[in-house]
Amino acid sequence: LTPFSASEEMRSTWQGKAGRSPLQSLYESDQFEQSSLQAVHQQRREMLSNICSRYTRKRRLLQPDDLRHLVVDDTHGLLYCYVPKVACTNWKRVMMVLTGQGKYQDPLEIPAHEAHVPSNLRTLSEYSVPEINSRLRSYLKFVFVREPFERLVSAYRNKFTLSYNTAFHKRYGTKIIRRHRQEPSDRALERGDDVRFEEFVYYLLDPRTQQEEPFNEHWERVHSLCHPCIIHYDVVGKYETLAEDANYILQLVGADASVKFPASSKTTRTTDDMTAQFFQDISPFYQRRLFNLYKMDYLLFNYSIPSYLRIR
């Protein structure tokens, strides 16, 4: 497959099936006139564009492999870049409803594990280069982001502190303990199920980690998963404003009014205060290094340096 450039796509707006931009039509309608939400999304796009032009010297060509996180809905002309730990299970459920030709009615009726079965949703990497280019040019593209350290702590809690995630304990936990714990017990080396957050941080910052393989998608940076400086996203949704941003996107693509984004009912969700507690035992030296690792996500999506960090 030849690499393809998104340069043409960067200049385009979403042209719907009739050739006119629905985004434009909606912006001109009374319903969205002077809409504060519209202004917010315009601001996010501009911020993203400014940071990209300031920090990316040379724009590389996208490879089809870069597009494995872009879920395609050919019915509504929609591309969604999923980011683990940013409501991606619920978004995949909604995408299954949108693409399912009536097979699914209610996103919450779809079991969580079903949403992650690769064959249930098509990704852009499965299409030919001409098909990829045409979809990048003409579909509405969106991504959801989250405060980077909150997302990181959420990934740590989910993958390393829950007893049922044995695959992660074996795959990553045993390696982290072997490399970053002094005098580990035989049990810890075998099971890898008691990784401390501090050890996880050492693992992320260890040069060997990324030399050996890319980061796992649960702690990979959003800019590496979704390439927001190459792919021009029409909507950058935020976890912090999930309900209204999700509703906005469903309205933009003319989804059936019965399709609702599931309301968040999780009481276990990782909060800012909780994240601060995890960082209490991380030294300022490692806090700064970790911040530098995730700095582009902070900049691109306009998140401020957390007040609990001791790096000033």
Side-chain angles (χ1 to χ4, degrees):
L1 279 170
T2 52
F4 52 90
S5 165
S7 56
E8 232 183 311
E9 173 271 321
M10 288 280 283
R11 294 193 296 270
S12 72
T13 54
W14 176 41
Q15 297 297 319
K17 298 196 170 45
R20 173 163 172 73
S21 162
L23 212 51
Q24 209 176 316
S25 310
L26 274 170
Y27 283 176
E28 287 164 5
S29 74
D30 292 343
Q31 188 188 356
F32 278 76
E33 194 132 273
Q34 304 306 317
S35 147
S36 59
L37 204 49
Q38 178 197 333
V40 164
H41 286 287
Q42 177 68 28
Q43 225 172 357
R44 288 180 193 171
R45 283 196 302 274
E46 285 171 6
M47 164 68 76
L48 190 55
S49 175
N50 291 339
I51 297 294
C52 286
S53 57
R54 198 183 309 168
Y55 286 90
T56 49
R57 299 279 168 266
K58 187 182 173 204
R59 219 179 60 224
R60 68 180 186 81
L61 293 177
L62 281 169
Q63 304 291 334
D65 199 45
D66 293 323
L67 306 172
R68 288 178 298 116
H69 275 249
L70 279 153
V71 175
V72 181
D73 171 7
D74 282 325
T75 312
H76 298 88
L78 197 55
L79 291 176
Y80 159 54
C81 189
Y82 73 88
V83 178
K85 307 312 299 172
V86 192
C88 87
T89 303
N90 277 343
W91 262 118
K92 284 182 176 180
R93 284 168 160 151
V94 169
M95 294 296 279
M96 283 172 71
V97 171
L98 292 175
T99 58
Q101 277 91 43
K103 186 177 170 189
Y104 311 99
Q105 308 295 324
D106 177 4
L108 284 178
E109 284 174 5
I110 302 169
H113 67 89
E114 276 277 302
H116 298 290
V117 174
S119 58
N120 283 336
L121 290 164
R122 287 194 76 183
T123 67
L124 200 53
S125 57
E126 297 169 43
Y127 290 76
S128 70
V129 171
E131 289 173 328
I132 288 169
N133 278 325
S134 108
R135 281 160 180 76
L136 281 173
R137 272 195 304 272
S138 61
Y139 283 14
L140 182 98
K141 299 169 287 294
F142 76 97
V143 59
F144 268 77
V145 300
R146 182 178 186 177
E147 201 285 328
F149 282 173
E150 200 179 283
R151 176 176 167 245
L152 188 67
V153 167
S154 176
Y156 164 77
R157 290 178 66 217
N158 182 261
K159 300 304 171 194
F160 295 109
T161 70
L162 301 177
S163 57
Y164 62 77
N165 265 323
T166 50
F168 267 80
H169 303 157
K170 284 278 189 201
R171 171 88 173 74
Y172 296 101
T174 52
K175 181 191 279 190
I176 292 170
I177 289 166
R178 189 170 68 249
R179 287 190 176 170
H180 301 290
R181 183 177 298 180
Q182 290 184 334
E183 299 177 15
S185 68
D186 291 342
R187 183 198 173 282
L189 284 170
E190 188 196 341
R191 298 178 64 155
D193 62 355
D194 65 345
V195 171
R196 295 191 283 272
F197 184 66
E198 191 177 18
E199 294 166 336
F200 179 51
V201 169
Y202 295 154
Y203 163 77
L204 294 172
L205 295 171
D206 184 341
R208 291 172 292 184
T209 301
Q210 283 194 82
Q211 282 163 12
E212 288 168 357
E213 60 182 339
F215 273 171
N216 179 277
E217 61 178 18
H218 290 84
W219 46 86
E220 180 59 281
R221 284 71 52 98
V222 176
H223 74 270
S224 298
L225 292 175
C226 294
H227 314 287
C229 289
I230 311 175
I231 296 168
H232 174 73
Y233 287 95
D234 300 288
V235 181
V236 176
K238 292 201 166 187
Y239 192 72
E240 296 77 13
T241 50
L242 178 61
E244 52 264 53
D245 290 347
N247 188 39
Y248 180 66
I249 290 161
L250 292 172
Q251 272 189 301
L252 281 180
V253 294
D256 193 282
S258 64
V259 181
K260 299 274 184 246
F261 190 83
S264 178
S265 58
K266 275 200 168 177
T267 48
T268 56
R269 105 170 177 81
T270 304
T271 61
D272 186 60
D273 289 347
M274 202 182 284
T275 304
Q277 287 172 6
F278 278 88
F279 275 85
Q280 271 177 350
D281 299 330
I282 307 297
S283 73
F285 174 75
Y286 283 107
Q287 286 185 4
R288 176 168 286 286
R289 287 189 59 202
L290 194 68
F291 178 77
N292 286 336
L293 187 64
Y294 288 88
K295 187 177 178 179
M296 273 310 286
D297 279 0
Y298 274 96
L299 290 169
L300 289 166
F301 306 116
N302 199 23
Y303 286 105
S304 49
I305 298 175
S307 57
Y308 54 77
L309 291 187
R310 306 186 300 283
I311 64 174
R312 285 169 179 75

